[in-house]
Each structure stands twice: as C-alpha cells, then as structure tokens.
Amino acid sequence: MEFLNFSFLGSYYSFFLQGAYVTVLLAIISVIAGTILGVLLTLMRRSKIKVVRWISIAYVEFIRGTPLLAQVYLVYVGLPMLLQLNIPDFTTGAIALTIHASAYISETMRSGIEAVPYGQSEAARSLGMNSRRTMLDIILPQAFKNILPALGNQFIGNIKDSSLVSVIGIAELMYETTTVRGTTALGLEPIIVCSLIYLVLTLTLTRLLTFVERRLKSSDHR
Amino acid sequence: MITVKHLYKSFNSHEVLSDINCTIHDGEVIVIIGPSGSGKSTLLRCLNLLETPTQGSIIIDGQDITDRKVNIDQVREKMGMVFQQFNLFPHKTVIKNICHAPIRVRKMKRGDAEQQGMDLLSKVGLREKKDVYPITLSGGQQQRIAIARALAMQPTAMLFDEPTSALDPEMVSEVLAVIKDLAKEGMTMVIVTHEMGFAKEVGDRIIFMDGGQIVEENTPQELFRHPQHARTQNFLSKILH
C-alpha cells in the first residue's frame, strides 16, 4: 500500500479554506434565518386559528419526514419555477438549509416555551400586558435561554448538513473537495482533509457551547 | 366596588364555584379562608379573569367584566395580583420587573416609571436591591418585590393569592407587614390566606368558603368567636389551637 500523499495541499489549500468559509457562512445564515422562521412556526402552532395551526404542523411534519437531499432539490428546481425568478445558487442552498433547520428549531422552541412556568404568563397578563406583549417580552426571552444549548447543536448540525448542497453546485467545503479530488486524481486524501476541517469546526463550536452554557448556568445560581 | 353575582365555575364536569354572591366595597379588606379545594383561589382568580367564569357576572365599578366586549387587559391593569409563587420575571432586574408594565402598558416615561419604582422599593424596604436579579433574593424579598410590581400599575384593588404560603416561616411577617401597610392606606384588597391571626387583624370582613360556596361571611370578631355554621366551626376548630 502506498503512503498517503498530501503534497497536493501546497497548491490546493485555498480550495479548502474557501470551501470552509462558504460552509460556515451557510451554517450561520441558516441557523439565524431558521430560528426566525422557527419562532414564527411555533407561534403559528399556538395560534387560535385552526388553519394556521394546521399549516405549521404540516410544514414541520413534511420537513422532518423527508430527506434533506430531497428538500435541496425541491427548492433548487421548484422555487425558481414557483416564483418565476432566477435565484442564485447560493441563495437557493441557504433557503433549503433554512427551511430544513426551521422545522427542527420550531420543535425545540416549542419545548422551550413550554418549559417557562405558566405563572410567568399569568403574572404578565395580570399586569395588563396583552398576549402578544407577554409572549415577546416575558415568555420568548426565557424560552430562548432554555433552548440556547439546543440551538448550538442545531448550528453544529447545520455545518454538517450543508455538505448536501454541494449537489446543486454551491462551492462549499464538500464541493471544493470533490473538485480537488477530480483535479488531483487522488481518491482518499482530499476527503480526509475535508473531514478533518469539518471536525475542527464542530469541535471548536462544541467547546464554545460548553463555555457559554457554563456561563449561563453560573448566572442562574449566584 | 366589586359585585359578584351568581358566579359558577366548572373545570370540565367538576364544579369548583357554585352560586357565589358577594360585594366588595372600596377600601375594604376582604379575607377569604377555607379548606384547600374550597374554591377560594379560583374565586380570586375569577376577579381578574385569570379563570373564565362558567356563569354569572362580576361587576366592577358598573362594568360587567364577564361581558365578551370588555377589554380584559384594561380591567387587569386596575387589579393588582400577587401570587403564591411570586412569579417575578427571572430575566429582568428588580427595577425592570417593576417598571416594565408601567412603561409598556401604561406608556409611562421611563424616568417617571423608575422614580415611582424606587418609591415603591422604599415602601417595601428593598431600595438597595434595585439592580439585582430575583434569583438572588429570599422568598420574602421576592414577594415584597412582587407586591411593588403590582402596585406600580396603580391599581384600584389588589388580589392576594396565598401570598405567604410558599415562604419560610421567618419571612412571613415581613410580607404581612407590607400588606398591613396597604390596608392602612385604604387599598381595596381581597386576600386568600391560611394565616388566621393576620386575617383577624387586617380583615374588615372574613369570607369562609367550603365546597365551592360561601358558607359564612362576617366581621373577624364575629366569625372567629361565634361561627354560625357547623362547617365553619369544624374548620376553625381544626386550625385554631
């Protein structure tokens, strides 16, 4: 067996860096936009109007019950047709990842809201705050604090999930890796490099999360 | 003035309040006592519609608040409520707990709201705690902040739902002292409590409830010394030693 040959890195390292940058960008966009959309879905789920509730449930069930890869293609092919618009590939990928993340985040958000004691809402309402004000000022801030660790995990998940948008030609880490494999005719080595970069990204984030969680906990028990 | 007429409340098929009638005059302190499950908390919570009555009416200053057209948020502004579990907002400092609703709901200027907040903190003796988070306070302190928070909306009446039941014994008196001060100032109050000594001292009228009904109501002197009904006698004999 020949030794692994990493000499290609000298001329191709910038492919990996550029790819990693796009990957992180996709993950950040999709976790932020996914959170906003996720909160909206949660609020819809709690709506008094049956149809609104139903739309939210159907959306979440559909996203959770179908593969991300299928969703990526659905958005890539379907969205431009639906809107009669030419959408840049990066935007399409970001939208697909956002839609995917939002379904999971909305479920997390729901449990985060349910974990806020009912007395909080009663206290706010008894002060004359309406249900909207109560949700925005009292319930959601506490729910966010509850789900911050879960949101961090979602972010890590998004980093890995984003590899799937390489199939629609977005030049993130996985796509760049495939390019390098093709150009260098090396099968294994670029994938090893790519995997290690993903691992560095996720491990760094995990450590960061642990740190933030510890900080949050300590502020709970002063 | 608050008038409750033929009030019923059921949870599913379980009737918790049955034909409640009572009147609370301005400046009066009403204390509701009774065994657990007698419906006293439910009655209190109906007064600001935290529970929706099944039947009957609650008329506050001529307005029937059970009418669907009534803006309940405006009614609640005028009815301060203090809970057994304090329910302070843990993500806000003490002063923000107190000022939030006056600023957001009553549209008070921040400066005015904070000035009023500091006055209220002085009143409950916790001026120096304005910038701390509720988690750092004892139960008694938290409950005094909760009272200040309710007062910040300048309510015309205050509802107390077992305000000392979740407190360690040594903290009960500091909370009761604040409530007694309010009584002296002439605040209209409805208090659900198990503190009989306090009930006797602060109440203008005691309502004894059992099984979802008002069994007996009278001045503290009369009710505690000469309870008329067997159920009242039975209850008092169990708790007064």
Side-chain angles (χ1 to χ4, degrees):
Chain A
M1 187 183 158
E2 281 184 52
F3 283 105
L4 294 172
N5 177 8
F6 287 102
S7 60
F8 67 96
L9 275 178
S11 25
Y12 288 101
Y13 74 96
S14 63
F15 281 66
F16 291 101
L17 289 184
Q18 176 61 27
Y21 166 72
V22 175
T23 290
V24 171
L25 201 62
L26 280 170
I28 291 175
I29 292 174
S30 59
V31 84
I32 292 174
T35 302
I36 296 168
L37 191 56
V39 170
L40 201 71
L41 285 165
T42 311
L43 296 181
M44 285 170 69
R45 178 80 183 250
R46 300 168 63 87
S47 163
K48 287 190 189 101
I49 307 158
K50 212 173 178 176
V51 181
V52 174
R53 227 163 40 223
W54 189 83
I55 291 172
S56 168
I57 293 171
Y59 176 99
V60 171
E61 290 302 328
F62 179 80
I63 299 299
R64 295 206 305 171
T66 56
L68 173 55
L69 190 53
Q71 293 159 18
V72 170
Y73 279 125
L74 270 178
V75 172
Y76 182 61
V77 183
L79 200 61
M81 278 170 73
L82 194 72
L83 301 178
Q84 295 292 315
L85 264 177
N86 199 1
I87 307 171
D89 286 353
F90 180 85
T91 312
T92 318
I95 290 174
L97 289 171
T98 298
I99 288 175
H100 184 73
S102 69
Y104 288 89
I105 292 175
S106 96
E107 286 295 286
T108 313
M109 196 70 216
R110 201 154 67 95
S111 65
I113 287 176
E114 277 162 16
V116 177
Y118 192 57
Q120 290 290 308
S121 159
E122 289 194 333
R125 296 308 301 272
S126 77
L127 287 165
M129 295 165 71
N130 60 28
S131 57
R132 200 184 121 87
R133 183 100 272 155
T134 300
M135 182 52 79
L136 287 178
D137 297 354
I138 305 302
I139 308 299
L140 281 184
Q142 295 184 57
F144 261 112
K145 193 177 170 186
N146 289 341
I147 68 160
L148 212 57
L151 274 184
N153 287 331
Q154 182 70 41
F155 187 36
I156 292 170
N158 283 8
I159 286 187
K160 295 182 287 178
D161 286 348
S162 67
S163 62
L164 283 173
V165 302
S166 60
V167 298
I168 58 170
I170 297 169
E172 43 67 70
L173 185 52
M174 188 56 74
Y175 183 91
E176 297 282 16
T177 306
T178 312
T179 310
V180 175
R181 287 176 74 204
T183 331
T184 58
L186 288 167
L188 185 59
E189 291 87 341
I191 286 289
I192 293 177
V193 173
C194 156
S195 300
L196 287 176
I197 295 176
Y198 276 114
L199 190 63
V200 168
L201 289 176
T202 52
L203 280 182
T204 313
L205 271 169
T206 312
R207 291 300 303 271
L208 205 69
L209 265 178
T210 320
F211 176 74
V212 172
E213 266 178 66
R214 212 178 309 142
R215 283 289 302 273
L216 278 179
K217 279 218 183 85
S218 68
S219 79
D220 274 346
H221 303 285
R222 269 174 307 169
Chain B
M1 190 167 87
I2 304 169
T3 311
V4 177
K5 283 185 188 163
H6 304 296
L7 191 76
Y8 288 80
K9 171 68 185 176
S10 304
F11 293 108
N12 300 320
S13 63
H14 179 59
E15 195 170 74
V16 186
L17 293 179
S18 172
D19 198 17
I20 300 287
N21 294 281
C22 64
T23 302
I24 300 148
H25 298 280
D26 290 343
E28 205 175 16
V29 178
I30 305 283
V31 180
I32 307 177
I33 60 171
S36 31
S38 58
K40 48 194 195 308
S41 281
T42 306
L43 171 57
L44 193 77
R45 291 161 58 83
C46 279
L47 295 180
N48 68 351
L49 295 195
L50 280 185
E51 303 291 352
T52 312
T54 313
Q55 233 187 84
S57 53
I58 299 165
I59 296 149
I60 301 177
D61 297 331
Q63 185 188 37
D64 185 354
I65 62 165
T66 59
D67 188 336
R68 286 191 186 284
K69 276 171 269 172
V70 169
N71 181 341
I72 186 55
D73 295 324
Q74 281 169 8
V75 175
R76 287 185 180 135
E77 276 182 51
K78 294 281 135 211
M79 301 275 270
M81 180 138 189
V82 174
F83 301 86
Q84 185 176 351
Q85 297 295 339
F86 333 131
N87 297 344
L88 292 180
F89 306 134
H91 60 302
K92 291 183 180 296
T93 59
V94 162
I95 189 74
K96 288 204 168 128
N97 261 278
I98 296 173
C99 292
H100 189 81
I103 292 169
R104 289 311 183 97
V105 179
R106 296 197 65 213
K107 309 292 176 201
M108 268 175 98
K109 289 207 183 71
R110 183 171 295 276
D112 295 346
E114 280 177 5
Q115 183 56 51
Q116 176 194 254
M118 289 312 291
D119 291 346
L120 287 167
L121 278 177
S122 304
K123 189 184 182 118
V124 299
L126 291 168
R127 217 180 147 80
E128 75 285 359
K129 297 291 187 188
K130 85 177 185 48
D131 290 321
V132 307
Y133 283 89
I135 192 84
T136 63
L137 300 171
S138 72
Q141 291 172 326
Q142 290 196 44
Q143 194 61 300
R144 282 144 70 197
I145 302 290
I147 295 172
R149 178 177 69 176
L151 290 173
M153 290 300 283
Q154 301 174 5
T156 53
M158 288 282 284
L159 310 174
F160 291 86
D161 190 4
E162 302 194 26
T164 59
S165 296
L167 296 177
D168 291 334
E170 73 271 23
M171 291 167 186
V172 168
S173 64
E174 67 190 50
V175 171
L176 294 185
V178 171
I179 303 176
K180 280 180 214 162
D181 283 346
L182 282 176
K184 275 185 212 132
E185 289 168 22
M187 173 67 81
T188 310
M189 297 198 280
V190 185
I191 305 167
V192 171
T193 187
H194 292 293
E195 301 283 337
M196 292 305 143
F198 169 68
K200 222 184 275 186
E201 186 182 346
V202 80
D204 294 315
R205 203 145 40 97
I206 310 286
I207 290 178
F208 172 71
M209 285 182 73
D210 193 15
Q213 290 171 316
I214 293 181
V215 176
E216 186 168 348
E217 59 174 292
N218 215 328
T219 60
Q221 295 78 7
E222 284 301 306
L223 190 121
F224 284 108
R225 260 181 236 150
H226 312 292
Q228 300 297 305
H229 289 260
R231 280 195 283 180
T232 318
Q233 289 162 6
N234 185 23
F235 175 72
L236 290 177
S237 72
K238 277 183 195 151
I239 54 160
L240 299 175
H241 311 288

